[in-house]
Structures are given as C-alpha cells and as structure tokens.
Amino acid sequence: MFDFSISELALIGTVALVVLGPERLPKVARTVGEWVGKAQRYVSQVKNDINREMELAELKKLQEEARQAAQSVQSSLNEVRSGLASLESAGSKPSETAAKPAEAGSTEYAWEGAGESWQSSVFPKRYKPGPSVDELAEELARLKRQMAMPTAHTGTHRKYAPRARVNRPRIRR
C-alpha cells in the first residue's frame, strides 16, 4: 500500500517522539495501530465481498448454461416423442419398421430383438441375513461367562480417588 523504508519510518518515529513526548507517544501509537488494523480489515472485507460477487456471477452463468442444456435435451426429447406419435398415427408400429431390413440410403435401422418387449428379471439376493442384536448380546454374555470375565462395576467402586479440588489455592485476577 504505502512504501516506506526503514530510515523513513525511523525519521517519522523521532519526529513523533519530539512532538508528542514520551508520555503520549505510546497511546498515539496504539491508536494509530488500531486505525491501521481497522483499515486492513475493511479492505480485506471489501475484497472478500468482491470475490463472493464474482463467484456468484460465475455460478449464475453456469446455472444458465445448465438450464439451456436441459432445454435442448427436453426439445430433442419432444421431437423424438412427436416422431413416434406420427409413426403410430400413420398406422405402423415401431416393431414392424424395425423388423424390415434396412435399405441402402434409408434412415431406418433394424436391430436384434427390437420387436420384443422388455421383461423384468428378479435378481437373487446378494446377502444373507445375519443374527439379530438380541442374539449377539446373548452370545456376548455367554462368552463372558465362559471366559469368566468380571462384570462391569456400577460406578460405586473406583480404582483411583477423585482429584481433590478443594485444597487447591484459588488464583484471583
């Protein structure tokens, strides 16, 4: 922002010391430091606001591009639907036109299985159901009994005494 060398800053400091005196110089320096800090925070806030607005403009631009792409897909889908509707209204079925062999220069294409309807198939399960939570709890209890593990304490018996907080000196500020 401002380009001051060390010698210029030293000159400003000595002039301030002579003019203000050693009593008021620390207060003035603190006030100037606060003002500079506020100015820096304000500048960084303005920069952040500008960056946020630029990102918002970019996002709006991307949103508009996505909307245009979706509209073009929708229009092509509507064209395909209208083409199918015109074929059906003409009395020909799509399976009949697809079953005919493609002639040279014709835009109609035939593919294998075009006249067949799609059959949904049921896929086998990929997992086997496991034990329930209750069964797992019973199994854990059985294993604890088998290994003769002690049961958990209810909290009445502690291994160590709680820290004594009463005997600490209180630090007053």
Coordinates of all heavy atoms in Angstrom, one line a residue, residues 16-77:
A16 N 7.8 12.1 15.8 CA 6.6 11.9 16.7 C 7.1 12.0 18.2 O 6.3 12.5 19.0 CB 6.0 10.6 16.4
L17 N 8.2 11.4 18.5 CA 8.7 11.5 19.9 C 9.0 12.9 20.3 O 8.6 13.2 21.5 CB 10.0 10.6 20.0 CG 10.6 10.5 21.4 CD1 9.7 9.8 22.3 CD2 11.9 9.7 21.3
V18 N 9.6 13.7 19.5 CA 9.9 15.1 19.8 C 8.6 15.9 19.9 O 8.4 16.7 20.9 CB 10.8 15.7 18.8 CG1 10.9 17.2 19.0 CG2 12.2 15.1 18.8
V19 N 7.6 15.7 19.0 CA 6.4 16.5 19.0 C 5.4 16.0 20.1 O 4.9 16.9 20.9 CB 5.7 16.4 17.6 CG1 4.3 17.0 17.7 CG2 6.6 17.1 16.6
L20 N 5.2 14.7 20.3 CA 4.2 14.2 21.2 C 4.8 14.1 22.6 O 4.1 14.2 23.6 CB 3.7 12.9 20.7 CG 2.9 13.0 19.4 CD1 2.5 11.6 19.0 CD2 1.7 13.8 19.5
G21 N 6.0 13.7 22.7 CA 6.6 13.5 24.0 C 6.5 12.0 24.4 O 5.7 11.3 23.8
P22 N 7.3 11.6 25.3 CA 7.4 10.2 25.7 C 6.1 9.7 26.4 O 5.8 8.5 26.5 CB 8.6 10.0 26.6 CG 8.9 11.4 27.1 CD 8.4 12.3 26.1
E23 N 5.3 10.6 27.0 CA 4.1 10.2 27.7 C 3.0 9.8 26.8 O 2.3 8.9 27.0 CB 3.6 11.3 28.7 CG 4.6 11.6 29.8 CD 5.6 12.7 29.4 OE1 5.3 13.5 28.5 OE2 6.7 12.7 30.0
R24 N 2.8 10.7 25.8 CA 1.6 10.4 24.9 C 2.0 9.6 23.7 O 1.0 9.1 23.0 CB 1.1 11.8 24.4 CG 0.5 12.6 25.5 CD -0.2 13.8 25.0 NE 0.3 14.4 23.7 CZ 0.0 15.5 23.2 NH1 -0.8 16.3 23.9 NH2 0.6 16.0 22.1
L25 N 3.2 9.3 23.4 CA 3.6 8.5 22.2 C 3.0 7.1 22.2 O 2.5 6.7 21.2 CB 5.1 8.5 22.0 CG 5.6 7.8 20.8 CD1 5.1 8.6 19.5 CD2 7.1 7.8 20.7
P26 N 3.1 6.4 23.3 CA 2.5 5.0 23.3 C 1.0 5.0 23.1 O 0.5 4.1 22.3 CB 2.9 4.5 24.7 CG 4.0 5.3 25.2 CD 3.8 6.6 24.6
K27 N 0.3 5.9 23.6 CA -1.2 6.0 23.4 C -1.5 6.3 21.9 O -2.3 5.7 21.3 CB -1.8 7.0 24.3 CG -1.8 6.7 25.8 CD -2.4 7.7 26.6 CE -2.4 7.4 28.1 NZ -2.9 8.5 28.9
V28 N -0.7 7.2 21.4 CA -0.9 7.6 20.0 C -0.6 6.5 19.1 O -1.3 6.1 18.1 CB -0.2 8.9 19.6 CG1 -0.2 9.2 18.1 CG2 -0.7 10.1 20.4
A29 N 0.5 5.8 19.4 CA 1.0 4.6 18.6 C -0.1 3.5 18.6 O -0.4 2.9 17.6 CB 2.3 4.1 19.0
R30 N -0.6 3.3 19.8 CA -1.7 2.2 19.9 C -2.9 2.6 19.1 O -3.5 1.8 18.4 CB -2.1 2.1 21.4 CG -3.0 0.9 21.7 CD -3.3 0.8 23.2 NE -2.0 0.6 23.9 CZ -1.7 1.4 24.9 NH1 -2.4 2.4 25.3 NH2 -0.6 1.2 25.6
T31 N -3.3 3.9 19.2 CA -4.5 4.4 18.4 C -4.3 4.3 16.9 O -5.1 3.8 16.2 CB -4.8 5.8 18.8 OG1 -4.9 5.9 20.2 CG2 -6.1 6.3 18.1
V32 N -3.1 4.7 16.5 CA -2.7 4.6 15.1 C -2.7 3.1 14.6 O -3.2 2.7 13.5 CB -1.4 5.3 14.8 CG1 -0.9 4.9 13.4 CG2 -1.5 6.7 14.9
G33 N -2.2 2.2 15.5 CA -2.2 0.8 15.2 C -3.6 0.2 15.0 O -3.9 -0.6 14.1
E34 N -4.5 0.7 15.9 CA -5.9 0.2 15.8 C -6.6 0.7 14.5 O -7.3 0.0 13.9 CB -6.7 0.7 17.0 CG -6.3 0.0 18.3 CD -7.0 0.7 19.5 OE1 -7.8 1.6 19.4 OE2 -6.8 0.1 20.7
W35 N -6.3 2.0 14.2 CA -6.8 2.5 12.9 C -6.3 1.7 11.7 O -7.1 1.4 10.8 CB -6.5 4.0 12.8 CG -7.3 4.9 13.7 CD1 -8.3 4.6 14.5 CD2 -7.0 6.3 13.9 NE1 -8.7 5.7 15.2 CE2 -7.9 6.7 14.8 CE3 -6.1 7.2 13.4 CZ2 -8.0 8.1 15.3 CZ3 -6.1 8.5 13.8 CH2 -7.1 8.9 14.7
V36 N -5.0 1.4 11.7 CA -4.5 0.7 10.6 C -5.1 -0.7 10.5 O -5.4 -1.2 9.4 CB -2.9 0.6 10.7 CG1 -2.3 -0.3 9.7 CG2 -2.3 2.0 10.5
G37 N -5.2 -1.3 11.7 CA -5.9 -2.7 11.7 C -7.3 -2.6 11.2 O -7.7 -3.5 10.4
K38 N -8.1 -1.6 11.6 CA -9.4 -1.4 11.1 C -9.5 -1.2 9.6 O -10.3 -1.8 8.9 CB -10.1 -0.3 11.8 CG -10.5 -0.5 13.2 CD -11.2 0.7 13.8 CE -11.5 0.4 15.3 NZ -12.2 1.6 15.9
A39 N -8.5 -0.4 9.1 CA -8.4 -0.2 7.7 C -8.1 -1.5 6.9 O -8.7 -1.8 5.9 CB -7.4 0.9 7.3
Q40 N -7.2 -2.3 7.4 CA -6.8 -3.5 6.8 C -8.0 -4.5 6.8 O -8.3 -5.2 5.8 CB -5.6 -4.2 7.5 CG -4.3 -3.5 7.2 CD -3.2 -4.1 8.0 OE1 -3.3 -4.9 8.9 NE2 -1.9 -3.7 7.6
R41 N -8.7 -4.6 7.9 CA -9.9 -5.5 8.0 C -11.0 -5.0 7.0 O -11.6 -5.8 6.3 CB -10.5 -5.5 9.4 CG -9.7 -6.4 10.4 CD -10.4 -6.6 11.7 NE -10.6 -5.3 12.4 CZ -9.7 -4.8 13.3 NH1 -8.5 -5.4 13.5 NH2 -9.9 -3.7 13.9
Y42 N -11.2 -3.7 6.9 CA -12.2 -3.2 5.9 C -11.8 -3.5 4.5 O -12.6 -3.9 3.7 CB -12.3 -1.6 6.1 CG -13.3 -1.0 5.1 CD1 -14.6 -1.2 5.3 CD2 -12.8 -0.3 4.1 CE1 -15.5 -0.6 4.4 CE2 -13.7 0.3 3.2 CZ -15.1 0.1 3.3 OH -15.9 0.6 2.4
V43 N -10.5 -3.3 4.2 CA -10.0 -3.6 2.8 C -10.2 -5.1 2.5 O -10.7 -5.5 1.4 CB -8.6 -3.2 2.6 CG1 -8.0 -3.7 1.3 CG2 -8.5 -1.7 2.6
S44 N -9.8 -6.0 3.5 CA -10.0 -7.4 3.3 C -11.5 -7.8 3.1 O -11.8 -8.7 2.3 CB -9.3 -8.2 4.4 OG -10.0 -8.0 5.6
Q45 N -12.3 -7.2 3.9 CA -13.8 -7.4 3.8 C -14.3 -7.0 2.4 O -15.1 -7.8 1.8 CB -14.5 -6.7 4.9 CG -16.0 -7.0 4.9 CD -16.7 -6.3 6.1 OE1 -16.1 -5.4 6.7 NE2 -18.0 -6.6 6.3
V46 N -13.9 -5.9 1.9 CA -14.3 -5.5 0.6 C -13.8 -6.4 -0.5 O -14.5 -6.8 -1.4 CB -13.8 -4.0 0.3 CG1 -14.0 -3.7 -1.1 CG2 -14.6 -3.0 1.2
K47 N -12.6 -6.9 -0.3 CA -12.0 -7.9 -1.3 C -12.8 -9.2 -1.3 O -13.1 -9.8 -2.3 CB -10.5 -8.2 -1.0 CG -9.6 -7.1 -1.4 CD -8.2 -7.5 -1.1 CE -7.2 -6.5 -1.4 NZ -5.8 -6.9 -1.1
N48 N -13.2 -9.6 0.0 CA -14.0 -10.9 0.1 C -15.3 -10.7 -0.5 O -15.9 -11.6 -1.2 CB -14.1 -11.3 1.6 CG -12.8 -11.8 2.1 OD1 -11.9 -12.3 1.4 ND2 -12.7 -11.7 3.4
D49 N -16.0 -9.5 -0.3 CA -17.3 -9.3 -0.9 C -17.2 -9.3 -2.5 O -18.1 -9.8 -3.1 CB -17.8 -7.9 -0.5 CG -18.2 -8.0 1.0 OD1 -18.4 -9.1 1.5 OD2 -18.4 -6.9 1.6
I50 N -16.1 -8.7 -3.0 CA -16.0 -8.6 -4.5 C -15.8 -10.0 -5.0 O -16.4 -10.4 -6.0 CB -14.8 -7.7 -4.8 CG1 -15.2 -6.2 -4.6 CG2 -14.4 -7.9 -6.3 CD1 -14.1 -5.3 -4.7
N51 N -14.9 -10.8 -4.3 CA -14.7 -12.2 -4.7 C -16.0 -13.0 -4.7 O -16.3 -13.8 -5.6 CB -13.6 -12.9 -3.9 CG -12.2 -12.3 -4.2 OD1 -12.0 -11.8 -5.3 ND2 -11.3 -12.4 -3.3
R52 N -16.7 -12.8 -3.6 CA -18.0 -13.5 -3.5 C -19.0 -13.2 -4.6 O -19.7 -14.1 -5.1 CB -18.6 -13.2 -2.1 CG -19.7 -14.2 -1.7 CD -20.2 -13.9 -0.3 NE -19.1 -13.9 0.7 CZ -18.8 -13.0 1.5 NH1 -19.6 -11.9 1.6 NH2 -17.8 -13.1 2.4
E53 N -19.0 -11.9 -5.0 CA -19.9 -11.5 -6.1 C -19.4 -12.1 -7.4 O -20.3 -12.5 -8.2 CB -19.9 -10.0 -6.1 CG -20.7 -9.3 -5.0 CD -22.1 -9.6 -5.0 OE1 -22.8 -9.8 -6.0 OE2 -22.7 -9.8 -3.9
M54 N -18.1 -12.1 -7.6 CA -17.6 -12.7 -8.8 C -18.0 -14.2 -8.9 O -18.4 -14.7 -10.0 CB -16.1 -12.5 -8.9 CG -15.7 -11.1 -9.2 SD -13.9 -10.8 -9.1 CE -13.3 -11.9 -10.4
E55 N -17.8 -14.9 -7.8 CA -18.2 -16.3 -7.8 C -19.7 -16.5 -8.0 O -20.1 -17.5 -8.7 CB -17.8 -17.0 -6.4 CG -16.3 -17.1 -6.2 CD -15.9 -17.6 -4.9 OE1 -16.8 -17.8 -4.0 OE2 -14.7 -17.7 -4.6
L56 N -20.5 -15.7 -7.4 CA -21.9 -15.7 -7.6 C -22.3 -15.5 -9.1 O -23.1 -16.2 -9.6 CB -22.6 -14.7 -6.7 CG -24.1 -14.7 -6.8 CD1 -24.7 -16.0 -6.3 CD2 -24.7 -13.5 -6.0
A57 N -21.6 -14.6 -9.7 CA -21.8 -14.3 -11.2 C -21.4 -15.5 -12.0 O -22.2 -15.9 -12.9 CB -21.1 -13.1 -11.6
E58 N -20.3 -16.2 -11.6 CA -19.9 -17.4 -12.3 C -20.9 -18.5 -12.1 O -21.2 -19.3 -13.1 CB -18.5 -17.8 -11.9 CG -17.4 -16.9 -12.3 CD -16.1 -17.3 -11.7 OE1 -16.0 -18.4 -11.0 OE2 -15.1 -16.6 -11.9
L59 N -21.4 -18.7 -10.9 CA -22.4 -19.7 -10.6 C -23.7 -19.5 -11.4 O -24.3 -20.4 -11.9 CB -22.7 -19.8 -9.1 CG -21.6 -20.4 -8.3 CD1 -21.9 -20.3 -6.8 CD2 -21.3 -21.9 -8.7
K60 N -24.1 -18.2 -11.5 CA -25.3 -17.9 -12.3 C -25.1 -18.2 -13.7 O -26.0 -18.7 -14.4 CB -25.7 -16.4 -12.1 CG -26.3 -16.1 -10.8 CD -26.7 -14.7 -10.7 CE -27.3 -14.4 -9.3 NZ -27.7 -13.0 -9.2
K61 N -23.9 -17.9 -14.2 CA -23.6 -18.2 -15.6 C -23.6 -19.7 -15.9 O -24.2 -20.2 -16.9 CB -22.2 -17.7 -16.0 CG -21.8 -17.8 -17.4 CD -20.4 -17.2 -17.6 CE -19.9 -17.4 -19.0 NZ -18.5 -16.8 -19.2
L62 N -23.0 -20.5 -14.9 CA -23.1 -22.0 -15.1 C -24.5 -22.5 -15.0 O -24.9 -23.4 -15.7 CB -22.2 -22.6 -14.0 CG -20.7 -22.5 -14.2 CD1 -20.0 -23.1 -12.9 CD2 -20.3 -23.3 -15.4
Q63 N -25.3 -21.9 -14.1 CA -26.7 -22.3 -14.0 C -27.5 -22.1 -15.3 O -28.3 -22.9 -15.7 CB -27.3 -21.6 -12.8 CG -28.8 -22.0 -12.6 CD -29.4 -21.2 -11.4 OE1 -28.9 -20.1 -11.0 NE2 -30.5 -21.6 -10.9
E64 N -27.2 -20.9 -15.9 CA -27.9 -20.6 -17.1 C -27.5 -21.6 -18.2 O -28.3 -22.0 -19.0 CB -27.6 -19.2 -17.5 CG -28.4 -18.7 -18.8 CD -29.9 -18.7 -18.6 OE1 -30.3 -18.5 -17.4 OE2 -30.6 -19.0 -19.6
E65 N -26.2 -21.9 -18.3 CA -25.7 -22.9 -19.3 C -26.3 -24.2 -19.0 O -26.7 -24.9 -20.0 CB -24.2 -23.0 -19.2 CG -23.4 -21.8 -19.7 CD -21.9 -21.9 -19.5 OE1 -21.5 -22.9 -19.0 OE2 -21.2 -21.0 -19.9
A66 N -26.5 -24.7 -17.8 CA -27.1 -25.9 -17.5 C -28.6 -25.9 -17.9 O -29.1 -26.9 -18.4 CB -26.9 -26.3 -16.0
R67 N -29.2 -24.8 -17.6 CA -30.6 -24.6 -18.0 C -30.8 -24.7 -19.5 O -31.7 -25.4 -20.0 CB -31.2 -23.3 -17.4 CG -32.7 -23.1 -17.7 CD -33.2 -21.9 -17.1 NE -33.2 -22.0 -15.6 CZ -32.7 -21.1 -14.8 NH1 -32.1 -20.0 -15.2 NH2 -32.7 -21.3 -13.5
Q68 N -29.9 -24.1 -20.2 CA -30.0 -24.2 -21.7 C -29.8 -25.6 -22.2 O -30.4 -26.0 -23.1 CB -29.0 -23.2 -22.3 CG -29.4 -21.7 -22.2 CD -28.3 -20.8 -22.7 OE1 -27.2 -21.3 -23.1 NE2 -28.6 -19.5 -22.7
A69 N -28.8 -26.3 -21.6 CA -28.5 -27.7 -22.0 C -29.8 -28.5 -21.7 O -30.1 -29.4 -22.5 CB -27.3 -28.2 -21.2
A70 N -30.4 -28.3 -20.5 CA -31.6 -29.1 -20.2 C -32.7 -28.8 -21.1 O -33.5 -29.7 -21.5 CB -32.0 -28.8 -18.7
Q71 N -32.9 -27.5 -21.6 CA -33.9 -27.2 -22.5 C -33.7 -27.8 -23.9 O -34.6 -28.3 -24.5 CB -34.0 -25.7 -22.7 CG -34.7 -25.0 -21.5 CD -34.6 -23.5 -21.6 OE1 -34.0 -22.9 -22.5 NE2 -35.3 -22.8 -20.7
S72 N -32.4 -27.9 -24.3 CA -32.1 -28.5 -25.6 C -32.4 -30.0 -25.5 O -32.9 -30.6 -26.5 CB -30.6 -28.3 -26.0 OG -29.8 -28.9 -25.1
V73 N -32.1 -30.7 -24.4 CA -32.4 -32.1 -24.2 C -33.9 -32.3 -24.2 O -34.4 -33.2 -24.9 CB -31.7 -32.6 -22.9 CG1 -32.2 -34.0 -22.6 CG2 -30.2 -32.7 -23.1
Q74 N -34.6 -31.4 -23.5 CA -36.0 -31.5 -23.5 C -36.6 -31.3 -24.9 O -37.6 -32.1 -25.3 CB -36.6 -30.5 -22.5 CG -38.1 -30.6 -22.3 CD -38.5 -31.8 -21.6 OE1 -37.7 -32.3 -20.8 NE2 -39.7 -32.3 -21.8
S75 N -36.1 -30.4 -25.7 CA -36.7 -30.2 -27.0 C -36.4 -31.4 -27.9 O -37.2 -31.8 -28.7 CB -36.1 -28.9 -27.6 OG -34.7 -29.0 -27.8
S76 N -35.2 -32.0 -27.8 CA -34.9 -33.1 -28.6 C -35.7 -34.3 -28.2 O -36.2 -35.1 -29.0 CB -33.4 -33.5 -28.5 OG -33.0 -33.8 -27.2
L77 N -36.0 -34.4 -26.9 CA -36.9 -35.5 -26.4 C -38.3 -35.3 -26.9 O -39.0 -36.3 -27.3 CB -36.9 -35.5 -24.9 CG -37.7 -36.6 -24.2 CD1 -37.2 -38.0 -24.6 CD2 -37.7 -36.4 -22.7

